[in-house]
Amino acid sequence: MNKYLKLDEWNIIEEGFNQENVPSSESIFSIGNGRMGQRANFEENYSGKTLQGNYIAGVYFPDKTKVGWWKNGYPEYFAKVLNAANWIGIQVNMNDEALDLAKNKVTNFKRVLNMREGHLSRYFTATLNNGCELTVDTCRFLSIVDDNLGAIRYKIKVNNLGGKITLTPYVDADVVNEDSNYDEKFWEPITEKAEGTLALVTAKTKKTGFVVTTAMHYEVWVNGKKTEPTAKPATREKYAACSLTLNVNPGDEIILYKFATNISSFNHPIEKLESVALAELDKAQKKHFEQMLTEQKAAWETKWEESDISIEGDVAAQQAIRFNIFQLNQTYTGEDERLNIGPKGFTGEKYGGSTYWDTEAYCLPFYLATADKHVARNLLLYRYKQLDKAIENATKLGFNHGAALFPMVTMNGEECHNEWEITFEEIHRNGAIAHAVYNYIRYTNDLNYLADYGLELLIAISRFWAQRITYSETLKKYVMLGVTGPNEYENNVDNNWYTNTIATWCLNYTREVVDYVQKNHTEKFLSLSQKISFNAEVETLKWKTIAENMHFPESKELGIFLQQDNYLNKEQILVKDLDPSQRPINQNWSWDRILRSCFIKQADTLQGIYLFEEEYDVDTIERNFNFYEARTVHESSLSPCVHTVLAARLNKMELAYELYLRTSRLDLDDYNCEVGEGLHITSMAGTWMSVVQGFGGLRVYNHKIYLNPRIPKAWDSYSFKIRFRGSVLKINALKNKVEVHNYSNNELKLVIFEKEYTLNGNNKLTVEI
């Protein structure tokens, strides 16, 4: 852990400059707007350790797979969101010496990420080696109103010595990806232009051929007056800049406003990229910095009105949940069905910025409850529109008749993950995608989605399960062999309970949807059946037979579901008995030792109980929770949130609170000493689940909302909003009562503490605890 940030309800604050914290802060103070994102690199030169990162949604490169032993079926590449042109750069030279915080004496350093208003500021005083002292005050943001634009206000005060100051705002596309498999640069130059106050670079990605124009415009003000200094243009391959030199005296203040845009062929015709970029910069000039910032603040106010969670009495918990919600809203807006959510979002390069099962299993519930239904619908459409690729992926592995295996990692629907035990065996991802359809329907009741898209996807997944499952003559049951569950500290196991459970559920749910669409959308059903050669009677009978005769490993003696066959053959050691010096085990043990141990990376059996909690009584949940939680090392960021939800369900509030802090402050306190690689964006959605589903007890069953709020001892109260079938509810949980506000005209049925209530439109319900 590394706790160096100040506690504050609405801000992330770093005071004092420590070079060792620079990579971590670059991740934590990242900004984004769904269209692009930017690590919190310094505008001026910095020669210390840094991960320069600017990322553009939808633009990626298929980096050739690097493995020691090629196996049949491996994908040819690992897709990566590219580090794109550096648009923030402003080189500062005072009397021929560059401002560089790695080389200068730095005092009064303060950096603030204002989450309420959506901007990043930084303040410091630097003493250069030549004796010149400068105070710098910056503010920048990526606009969520004009999502092609970024803006910077860079203010410099000359404190002691006068002389010449040279400012060089630039665009630099000569960048590298830190995670490049073969140290290859991924961009090829097209054009570089610099003239007056404008600089522009256009570059093309190798292989994929994405073209991006990054352009900037700047203004300079001296002591409150706009000036028109003579600028010196400079260009080289993939670089364009405009230098200007000013004579300054002690006490002078210079403000450089820089506006930048990234325009990509992902969204615009290549021949129009430059003209669109110039139009965006013209828009920025007309609005200017202050108007753009005012609009940014208003837009973020609206976002917070929809998705904020308020916690009274615990600043650390409050700051953490807002940080997680802020990053989720920066990463994905749901306005483009071609985009999805990478585990690191726009904050780093680990995991390539690609789409994983995290989206459906963890992120979807957040967007379902906090945004208009089109946002979650677009997440589902992303998968549906890649269904042909999922069928192709399954075909490569020997499946047929339209069976679909969605990729573990993807940009365009093709599998690009290259670890065999995940690529070929972690097939539970199919179940998460099917469950996302179910989750979307139960929240929105958008039944037309099933007829238009959902059924086709569910049939393709169910066809995969039907072929992947085999019949055991020994057990006289259907079994699932050679899989890896969510717990990746177990590979190539037979009958992973979670995978068998979600596969069986999927077969049953698909049968339900077949019946619904067949009865209510007959023409669409017949058309789809013809399109995909679907024989409903034959195929659904097979699915029913499998579901009714599936093998689920269990220990009747312990009263628990077994994570997989023979799990109890392992030496049963508890996490509490591990030598702390051996933690985390993934950094201290051999892989062989991990695989032979009973230790669990993340919720696996408990993941299934979390998803299908209504099917199990409290005693069953508690027995399984007590057994598996004691063996879970939580070395996945996706683990603590599931345990928090179940711990709160079982009224284990101290443990729930401890796990909540772990998941919510994972990055802020750098629990895993890795935040410099980027933030854990998808697990941040799990933090939201911890509060709303965990402490709030939110469930949706049988067309009703269920609430069972509990409050950690450290909190005085908490509140959150949820959307449900066109209604917006605000739940306020206090020590002695629960208040539910209905901000819609709709009448709703609620179950609170197991008692049913009717809440009229535009009304409030108070339930005493």
Side-chain angles (χ1 to χ4, degrees):
M1 293 176 67
N2 184 16
K3 292 187 176 184
Y4 65 93
L5 302 170
K6 303 295 180 183
L7 295 179
D8 186 277
E9 291 186 351
W10 278 106
N11 300 285
I12 309 301
I13 303 169
E14 177 183 9
E15 291 182 346
F17 184 64
N18 182 343
Q19 289 195 48
E20 292 183 0
N21 291 333
V22 167
S24 299
S25 291
E26 287 178 344
S27 296
I28 291 168
F29 290 85
S30 293
I31 57 175
N33 65 4
R35 187 67 63 187
M36 52 186 168
Q38 198 262 321
R39 284 172 62 84
N41 309 120
F42 299 150
E43 288 90 353
E44 65 278 353
N45 290 1
Y46 183 69
S47 58
K49 184 179 179 181
T50 180
L51 171 57
Q52 188 75 38
N54 296 272
Y55 309 101
I56 303 170
V59 176
Y60 68 93
F61 177 82
D63 199 7
K64 183 172 174 55
T65 296
K66 192 172 188 177
V67 292
W69 179 25
W70 196 273
K71 295 180 177 62
N72 205 22
Y74 266 169
E76 296 288 328
Y77 67 89
F78 192 101
K80 293 172 179 177
V81 170
L82 296 188
N83 188 5
N86 175 9
W87 64 270
I88 66 170
I90 303 171
Q91 185 173 339
V92 179
N93 284 67
M94 182 68 190
N95 291 339
D96 298 321
E97 183 181 339
L99 174 62
D100 182 343
L101 271 61
K103 297 178 179 179
N104 305 146
K105 178 184 176 183
V106 181
T107 57
N108 302 319
F109 183 94
K110 186 174 184 179
R111 176 161 30 188
V112 179
L113 180 63
N114 187 319
M115 299 182 290
R116 185 197 289 268
E117 299 178 351
H119 55 83
L120 172 64
S121 61
R122 186 167 54 106
Y123 180 94
F124 63 89
T125 297
T127 303
L128 281 60
N129 295 328
N130 60 19
C132 295
E133 184 182 279
L134 303 174
T135 293
V136 176
D137 186 356
T138 76
C139 178
R140 73 173 182 245
F141 60 91
L142 285 169
S143 174
I144 61 172
V145 177
D146 302 304
D147 62 7
N148 287 319
L149 287 171
I152 302 172
R153 182 181 62 209
Y154 196 89
K155 186 186 301 184
I156 305 172
K157 186 176 181 182
V158 181
N159 292 338
N160 58 351
L161 305 178
K164 292 185 181 296
I165 189 168
T166 301
L167 305 177
T168 308
Y170 63 86
V171 172
D172 184 7
D174 190 17
V175 294
V176 297
N177 263 57
E178 189 178 67
D179 67 345
S180 170
N181 280 341
Y182 296 91
D183 299 322
E184 182 181 8
K185 289 187 176 181
F186 299 145
W187 293 95
E188 295 177 333
I190 295 181
T191 58
E192 305 87 18
K193 298 178 182 178
E195 182 179 357
T197 59
L198 178 73
L200 177 150
V201 172
T202 299
K204 180 176 72 172
T205 63
K206 297 177 182 178
K207 295 184 181 178
T208 44
F210 291 106
V211 179
V212 177
T213 293
T214 303
M216 70 154 203
H217 159 80
Y218 73 90
E219 289 181 7
V220 176
W221 295 62
V222 179
N223 297 328
K225 295 182 179 180
K226 186 177 178 182
T227 184
E228 302 289 347
T230 301
K232 181 180 178 182
T235 59
R236 60 175 183 266
E237 187 176 273
K238 296 186 278 190
Y239 174 93
C242 304
S243 270
L244 58 142
T245 300
L246 301 168
N247 293 311
V248 292
N249 297 308
D252 282 353
E253 183 179 80
I254 304 104
I255 302 177
L256 187 149
Y257 293 101
K258 182 176 183 181
F259 305 98
T261 187
N262 288 300
I263 305 298
S264 77
S265 59
F266 185 73
N267 298 307
H268 302 277
I270 292 175
E271 65 275 11
K272 293 185 178 180
L273 295 182
E274 286 195 17
S275 62
V276 173
L278 294 177
E280 289 291 322
L281 291 181
D282 184 60
K283 182 198 302 181
Q285 282 180 264
K286 290 175 179 175
K287 285 189 175 184
H288 215 268
F289 187 89
E290 293 303 331
Q291 182 181 338
M292 288 179 67
L293 182 58
T294 298
E295 292 177 355
Q296 178 84 342
K297 293 175 182 178
W300 271 104
E301 183 179 3
T302 299
K303 280 192 176 291
W304 285 115
E305 182 64 26
E306 295 173 340
S307 59
D308 187 28
I309 292 178
S310 174
I311 297 172
E312 298 291 337
D314 188 343
V315 177
Q318 177 66 89
Q319 181 186 47
I321 190 63
R322 282 188 174 138
F323 177 69
N324 286 260
I325 293 170
F326 177 73
Q327 293 294 347
L328 286 164
N329 281 326
Q330 283 200 129
T331 302
Y332 183 76
T333 63
E335 301 306 317
D336 190 334
E337 65 196 32
R338 299 171 299 167
L339 301 178
N340 209 280
I341 306 159
K344 296 291 183 185
F346 296 122
T347 70
E349 297 170 15
K350 191 174 181 181
Y351 305 116
S354 302
T355 297
Y356 284 64
W357 72 293
D358 307 19
T359 292
E360 285 77 22
Y362 295 88
C363 297
L364 184 74
F366 169 78
Y367 295 104
L368 273 174
T370 65
D372 184 78
K373 75 176 184 180
H374 80 275
V375 174
R377 200 173 199 267
N378 279 343
L379 282 175
L380 299 188
L381 285 174
Y382 177 88
R383 293 294 193 179
Y384 173 79
K385 295 198 171 182
Q386 294 179 355
L387 179 56
D388 287 348
K389 289 289 186 183
I391 293 171
E392 183 181 311
N393 293 335
T395 303
K396 290 177 182 177
L397 299 182
F399 297 89
N400 55 44
H401 190 47
L405 177 60
F406 280 89
M408 187 65 182
V409 179
T410 193
M411 283 290 184
N412 63 2
E414 291 180 309
E415 176 65 77
C416 63
H417 197 281
N418 53 32
E419 295 176 37
W420 67 269
E421 67 275 13
I422 293 175
T423 306
F424 304 148
E425 294 196 339
E426 205 162 333
I427 54 178
H428 64 82
R429 64 212 190 224
N430 255 14
I433 292 166
H435 192 266
V437 174
Y438 165 75
N439 226 358
Y440 172 76
I441 298 301
R442 69 174 171 176
Y443 266 85
T444 67
N445 207 33
D446 180 11
L447 295 172
N448 287 333
Y449 181 84
L450 293 175
D452 293 338
Y453 308 107
L455 178 57
E456 184 177 357
L457 181 143
L458 290 169
I459 289 172
I461 291 175
S462 291
R463 283 172 164 176
F464 171 83
W465 291 130
Q467 294 177 46
R468 184 62 170 79
I469 292 166
T470 54
Y471 185 73
S472 166
E473 287 291 347
T474 301
L475 293 175
K476 304 300 181 186
K477 292 280 187 179
Y478 286 93
V479 295
M480 188 107 66
L481 307 177
V483 303
T484 299
N487 172 28
E488 293 169 346
Y489 288 177
E490 297 276 8
N491 298 155
N492 199 36
V493 302
D494 293 340
N495 295 306
N496 171 258
W497 184 87
Y498 171 71
T499 306
N500 285 16
T501 296
I502 203 162
T504 302
W505 168 86
C506 181
L507 293 172
N508 287 332
Y509 180 59
T510 305
R511 288 170 47 231
E512 290 179 20
V513 176
V514 167
D515 288 344
Y516 168 78
V517 175
Q518 192 170 21
K519 291 174 183 175
N520 295 280
H521 301 271
T522 305
E523 289 187 13
K524 288 184 178 180
F525 179 81
L526 292 174
S527 176
L528 175 63
S529 297
Q530 184 175 10
K531 172 186 172 183
I532 63 174
S533 301
F534 178 58
N535 186 319
E537 184 176 354
V538 172
E539 294 194 52
T540 58
L541 178 59
K542 182 178 181 181
W543 299 343
K544 183 175 185 289
T545 302
I546 292 172
E548 290 177 348
N549 295 278
M550 193 73 182
H551 168 61
F552 296 98
E554 63 177 322
S555 169
K556 292 186 178 179
E557 180 182 354
L558 297 176
I560 62 168
F561 309 123
L562 288 184
Q563 184 174 264
Q564 71 263 349
D565 284 348
N566 303 314
Y567 177 77
L568 290 179
N569 288 346
K570 293 171 175 284
E571 184 181 9
Q572 297 298 314
I573 304 173
L574 304 186
V575 173
K576 69 179 179 62
D577 296 325
L578 269 175
D579 181 346
S581 68
Q582 299 297 297
R583 305 284 304 276
I585 62 173
N586 63 16
Q587 296 178 25
N588 290 285
W589 287 12
S590 70
W591 193 245
D592 168 71
R593 186 179 179 187
I594 290 173
L595 291 177
R596 286 186 289 107
S597 79
C598 70
F599 295 119
I600 298 167
K601 179 185 179 186
Q602 69 187 82
D604 190 304
T605 303
L606 296 183
Q607 181 84 23
I609 291 175
Y610 158 72
L611 287 180
F612 307 113
E613 180 189 307
E614 68 271 25
E615 297 184 13
Y616 310 107
D617 60 47
V618 174
D619 288 343
T620 299
I621 296 171
E622 186 158 20
R623 285 194 303 271
N624 281 275
F625 181 88
N626 290 343
F627 182 84
Y628 286 109
E629 201 283 325
R631 292 159 174 78
T632 303
V633 290
H634 297 296
E635 290 175 10
S636 165
S637 65
L638 301 175
S639 185
C641 59
V642 171
H643 287 74
T644 302
V645 173
L646 292 177
R649 169 73 174 84
L650 298 170
N651 207 25
K652 299 176 183 287
M653 292 301 290
E654 289 187 15
L655 178 58
Y657 178 70
E658 174 192 328
L659 290 167
Y660 164 75
L661 286 182
R662 178 169 181 146
T663 187
S664 66
R665 298 196 66 85
L666 177 67
D667 292 320
L668 290 177
D669 295 338
D670 198 5
Y671 270 77
N672 295 339
C673 300
E674 61 178 10
V675 74
E677 299 175 345
L679 303 177
H680 296 82
I681 298 297
T682 49
S683 77
M684 289 177 169
T687 300
W688 178 90
M689 286 161 40
S690 296
V691 176
V692 175
Q693 298 178 356
F695 302 133
L698 173 70
R699 305 289 189 273
V700 176
Y701 306 138
N702 303 320
H703 308 286
K704 299 173 191 172
I705 290 175
Y706 288 70
L707 293 165
N708 192 25
R710 293 182 171 92
I711 301 183
K713 288 181 180 178
W715 300 3
D716 296 327
S717 67
Y718 62 95
S719 65
F720 57 88
K721 283 184 177 179
I722 58 168
R723 290 173 179 253
F724 179 72
R725 303 190 177 184
S727 299
V728 176
L729 300 178
K730 182 176 182 180
I731 292 87
N732 188 23
L734 299 93
K735 296 286 188 183
N736 61 344
K737 62 182 177 180
V738 177
E739 299 172 341
V740 183
H741 300 255
N742 185 355
Y743 292 115
S744 68
N745 297 322
N746 304 327
E747 177 186 284
L748 288 174
K749 299 290 186 183
L750 302 172
V751 179
I752 303 176
F753 300 130
E754 300 182 3
K755 183 177 178 181
E756 185 167 317
Y757 299 87
T758 299
L759 178 56
N760 294 325
N762 301 301
N763 219 316
K764 183 175 92 169
L765 172 67
T766 301
V767 178
E768 301 293 330
I769 296 178

